[in-house]
Amino acid sequence: KKLTASVMKLEDTERRFQLLVEGVTDYAIYMLDSTGNVVNWNPGAARIKGYSREEVIGRNFSVFYTAEDQGAGIPDQALATASRSGKYESEGWRVRKDGSRFWASAVLNAIKDAEGKTIGFAKITRDLTERRAAEERSRQAQKMEAIGQLKGGVAHDFNNLLTIIIGNL
């Protein structure tokens, strides 16, 4: 009787967790097996990355990395780091299904069994492209303001110099 109650409580907790993950659309939340193949995919991942659940389950997560990062072995390094230390955090360019790039903040957590062996990974990715673009626009505006102030100062100094030269003529 106690075991049945525990099983029912566990199933209820799993259902609630699944509803929570399925309800999140601002973050890509998905699970990987121990080799980096996608085994679970939430609607946020579909929205951000452009792949339906059916298209991506079984594919290696390295498909989301740029060709440059793939060539540098970044996906394998991420898995190795997470497996060794429990977590890997990064920011960088990622690739959508349509080939477009987006700036992502990602956390990769290792999931370990009772003996401490890595049996998979949980990955959470956030699209920060808009925030990065806004920060870049702000930096450009600050640069333009600084150039304007410098230009104004140079013009003022030049006028003072001209006044002195004209006065001496």
Side-chain angles (χ1 to χ4, degrees), residues 26-137:
D26 290 342
Y27 293 84
I29 302 173
Y30 53 101
M31 306 291 286
L32 306 173
D33 66 16
S34 61
T35 62
N37 294 320
V38 177
V39 295
N40 195 323
W41 195 246
N42 84 326
R47 186 185 69 76
I48 291 170
K49 296 184 184 269
Y51 292 90
S52 70
R53 183 185 312 265
E54 296 74 29
E55 291 173 309
V56 80
I57 298 291
R59 292 184 77 172
N60 193 276
F61 86 117
S62 62
V63 72
F64 310 128
Y65 285 79
T66 64
E68 299 84 9
D69 284 352
Q70 288 178 23
I74 303 295
D76 290 334
Q77 290 173 23
L79 292 178
T81 300
S83 192
R84 185 176 58 254
S85 67
K87 181 194 249 183
Y88 176 81
E89 294 183 66
S90 65
E91 266 196 31
W93 291 110
R94 296 295 180 267
V95 181
R96 291 186 174 90
K97 178 185 171 186
D98 66 7
S100 64
R101 291 182 178 208
F102 67 101
W103 189 257
S105 171
V107 179
L108 180 68
N109 287 293
I111 300 169
K112 300 186 182 264
D113 64 13
E115 289 80 44
K117 180 180 179 237
T118 300
I119 57 172
F121 301 90
K123 184 114 193 294
I124 301 173
T125 302
R126 186 170 177 206
D127 182 349
L128 298 180
T129 308
E130 286 303 314
R131 187 180 88 186
R132 182 179 162 93
E135 288 170 356
E136 184 60 30
R137 285 190 298 274

Side-chain angles (χ1 to χ4, degrees), residues 66 99 118 151 160 169:
T66 64
T118 300
K151 196 167 98 176
N160 287 345
L169 288 176

